[in-house]
Amino acid sequence: MSVVVTACGGGGNGGGFFPFFPLPTQLYAVGGTVTGLTGSGLVLQNNGGDDLAVPAGSSSFRFAGKLAKGEAYAVRVKTQPGSPAQTCTVNSATGTVADADVSTVTIVCASNSVTVSGTVSGLVGSGLVLQNNGADSLAVAANGSFTFATPMANGATYAVTVSALPAAEFCSVTNGSGTAAADVSNVAVQCSVGSVTTVAGTGAKGSANGNGTAASFNQPFGMVVDSGGNLYVADSANNTIRKITPARDVTTFAGSVTPGSTNGNGTLASFDRPTGLASDTGGNFYTGDFNNNMIRKITPAADVTTIAGSGAFGSTNGNGTAASFNNPAGVAVDAAGNVYISDYNNNLIRKITPAGDVTTFAGSGAVGGADGNGTAASFNSPVGLALDAAGNLYVADSLNNVIRKITPAGDVTTFAGSGTAGAVDGNGTAASFRVPNGVTVDASGNIYVADYGNNLFRVITPAGDVRTLAGSGAPGAADGKGAAASFNGPVSVVLDGSNAFYVADYDGQLIRRIVLVPGP
C-alpha cells in the first residue's frame, strides 16, 4: 500500500513552504539632559568605553552607541570641564534599557567656586573700600568679618587691596594675595593712625651728646637707618652728622660745629649745612652739603670725602668736582649705586653715577610745575627724594606743594597735590600739601610725607589716596596718637627695619618716632 502525502492549504503558489526570517533586534539610544555647563572639555562615558565630548553650553547629550532591550547602561564623567573649572555629577546614571530610548540621565555642572573673606580691625572712620583683583569692590563700614560677593574659580589667584582709605586712617592688608585652592578666610586688614613719641632732643637748640632727651640738636634734617638699627641725622645748623643708637645714645659721628668743607675722619671733617642723607648697599652715607654746594660721602668708618661739586654755585654737568650745584638738598641712592640729588636752587634733579659722572636727570632749571620727560619738566625748590622697588623716584616739590614721580626713563608726573597750599586729604591732585619736604617709601609702595608747613605726617597709597596719620596741624611737641600728637616743622622721614618711622622736627629740635597702631 502506498501513502500519498499532500501539502495542506492551497493558494496560487501550489502549496510550497515559506522560509523563516527573524525580526531585527531593536536598539535604543542612551542620553539625557545637561544643566549648568559653562566650561569646556567635559567627556562622558557609557559602560566604560563609549566616550562622548559635550561642548560648553549644551543642554542635552546622546551617546552614539545604542543598546538593546535588557542591556545595562552606566554613565560616568570621564573628564571634568575646565576654563572655567567645574565639577559635573551624574544623576540616574545606571539602569536597564526597556522598550524606548533612555533620556532620564541628568548631568548637573557647577563651578568650582571659592570665596575670599577676612577681617577688618582698627577701623574708626568711614569710607574704606576693598578690592579683589582690582575689580570686585567691597565697602566696609565696621570692624569684623567681610566677604567679597563674587566667588572665584578654584585655583584662581586673588589679590586684596585697599581701593579707598577711611578718613584720617591708613589701612594695610596682610595675607592679601595667593592662589585660592579652597575658601580663603585669613585676609587681615588693619586700620591705623600714627602713634608719636620723642626719641631724642631737649627741644632747645644745642649740640650736646647724651641719651635721648638729654641730647640736643640744631635744625635736624635728613636721616638714614643702618642695618644695626642706628639712626643717623644730618644736624644741619650744627654742621654735623649725629648717630643715635637703638638705646637712644646720641653721639657726633662726623663733622664739627664749625662750618667748613674739610675731608677727613669723623670730627676732623667739616660740613656747612648738611641736609639730605641716604645710604648705599655698602653702608656708605651720602649727604647734600647745602652751603658747600657739594655731595659728600661718609664711610661706615666715618671717613668723609667729596664725590661731586666744585664748591661754586652752578649747574655744570661733569665728573666729580668738575660739576657744580646750587644748594643740593635731598639724596637717594638706587641699587646700582647711582646717587640722585635734589638741586634745590637750580630746580633740578641730578644724577651721579658710581664713576662720579654728574648729569641732569630731570628739570629745565626754570621755576615751574610742568610735567614731561627729563629736562622738559620743571620743579620749584625740590627737597626730599625716595626710590621705590621699581626704581621710580618720588620728589617732595616743596614750593609747588606737590609730590612728583619720575620713572627710570625720566618721565615726570604729579603724583599727589593740587599745587595750592592746604591740608586736604583726598585722591591724587584733589589732596593738598603745604611745603612738603621729606618722603620715604615702604615695601608695599606707600609713600610717607613729612608735610613741613602743615606740621603733619601724611601717607599716599599706590592708588594716590592721601591721608593724615599724625599731627594736629598746630606746631608743638606733644606725643600721642593721630591728631593728639603735634610736630614743629617736620622735614624728613625714614623707615627702619621694624616698620617704625622717624621724623626730624626741624623747628622743634627733636627726633620723633612713629608706629602705626589701631585708630582711637
Side-chain angles (χ1 to χ4, degrees):
M1 180 177 73
S2 64
V3 177
V4 178
V5 179
T6 60
C8 297
N13 62 2
F17 289 100
F18 289 101
F20 173 73
F21 295 103
L23 294 174
T25 301
Q26 181 70 42
L27 299 178
Y28 300 98
V30 176
T33 59
V34 180
T35 57
L37 179 60
T38 58
S40 59
L42 172 64
V43 178
L44 303 178
Q45 189 179 74
N46 186 27
N47 288 338
D50 189 7
D51 291 353
L52 173 66
V54 183
S58 297
S59 59
S60 63
F61 72 94
R62 175 176 286 189
F63 287 99
K66 295 186 177 184
L67 301 175
K69 178 182 177 180
E71 289 189 281
Y73 61 90
V75 179
R76 72 179 188 94
V77 175
K78 181 179 181 181
T79 304
Q80 295 285 0
S83 301
Q86 289 186 287
T87 298
C88 298
T89 56
V90 184
N91 298 314
S92 303
T94 61
T96 302
V97 177
D99 289 320
D101 290 338
V102 176
S103 61
T104 56
V105 181
T106 61
I107 311 297
V108 179
C109 299
S111 296
N112 294 346
S113 61
V114 294
T115 59
V116 176
S117 62
T119 57
V120 173
S121 59
L123 179 63
V124 175
S126 60
L128 174 62
V129 178
L130 304 177
Q131 279 190 336
N132 185 22
N133 290 332
D136 189 9
S137 295
L138 175 66
V140 181
N143 292 314
S145 61
F146 67 87
T147 302
F148 285 96
T150 304
M152 301 179 62
N154 192 315
T157 58
Y158 63 95
V160 178
T161 56
V162 176
S163 173
L165 288 169
E169 284 185 283
F170 172 67
C171 301
S172 59
V173 180
T174 56
N175 303 322
S177 61
T179 300
D183 286 342
V184 176
S185 60
N186 66 337
V187 179
V189 180
Q190 174 68 62
C191 296
S192 309
V193 297
S195 178
V196 183
T197 55
T198 299
V199 172
T202 62
K205 291 181 178 180
S207 59
N209 290 322
N211 185 270
T213 56
S216 56
F217 300 87
N218 193 351
Q219 297 178 338
F221 213 100
M223 297 182 296
V224 69
V225 180
D226 71 12
S227 58
N230 299 294
L231 179 67
Y232 297 82
V233 181
D235 197 2
S236 67
N238 276 329
N239 305 303
T240 56
I241 307 299
R242 313 289 290 280
K243 177 181 178 179
I244 309 174
T245 69
R248 303 189 180 187
D249 290 321
V250 181
T251 56
T252 300
F253 183 68
S256 62
V257 173
T258 302
S261 59
T262 304
N263 291 325
N265 183 268
T267 57
L268 298 177
S270 57
F271 304 90
D272 192 350
R273 286 273 180 173
T275 304
L277 198 59
S279 62
D280 65 16
T281 55
N284 301 294
F285 305 134
Y286 300 84
T287 187
D289 201 352
F290 194 81
N291 284 345
N292 278 327
N293 301 302
M294 296 175 174
I295 309 305
R296 315 290 292 279
K297 177 181 178 179
I298 311 164
T299 69
D303 291 320
V304 180
T305 55
T306 300
I307 66 164
S310 63
F313 292 99
S315 59
T316 303
N317 290 323
N319 185 271
T321 56
S324 56
F325 301 88
N326 191 352
N327 298 134
V331 186
V333 185
D334 68 16
N338 298 296
V339 181
Y340 297 86
I341 305 295
S342 59
D343 202 354
Y344 183 82
N345 277 327
N346 275 330
N347 302 299
L348 300 174
I349 306 301
R350 314 289 290 278
K351 179 180 178 180
I352 310 171
T353 68
D357 293 320
V358 180
T359 56
T360 298
F361 184 58
S364 65
V367 172
D371 291 337
N373 183 269
T375 57
S378 56
F379 301 89
N380 191 357
S381 301
V383 184
L385 301 177
L387 286 155
D388 67 13
N392 298 298
L393 183 67
Y394 294 89
V395 182
D397 197 0
S398 67
L399 297 188
N400 275 329
N401 302 302
V402 296
I403 306 300
R404 314 290 288 281
K405 178 181 178 179
I406 311 176
T407 68
D411 292 320
V412 181
T413 54
T414 299
F415 188 66
S418 64
T420 300
V424 177
D425 287 341
N427 186 270
T429 56
S432 57
F433 301 88
R434 188 183 303 273
V435 197
N437 265 239
V439 287
T440 196
V441 184
D442 70 14
S444 299
N446 300 295
I447 303 152
Y448 300 85
V449 181
D451 196 355
Y452 174 82
N454 281 323
N455 298 303
L456 298 175
F457 177 59
R458 318 281 293 277
V459 64
I460 312 170
T461 70
D465 279 329
V466 179
R467 291 295 183 271
T468 299
L469 296 182
S472 64
D479 291 340
K481 291 170 63 173
S486 58
F487 301 93
N488 192 356
V491 289
S492 66
V493 56
V494 67
L495 179 63
D496 73 7
S498 64
N499 292 321
F501 300 89
Y502 293 89
V503 169
D505 233 352
Y506 182 84
D507 295 323
Q509 324 307 331
L510 299 174
I511 306 302
R512 318 293 291 279
R513 183 175 187 265
I514 305 172
V515 293
L516 300 181
V517 299

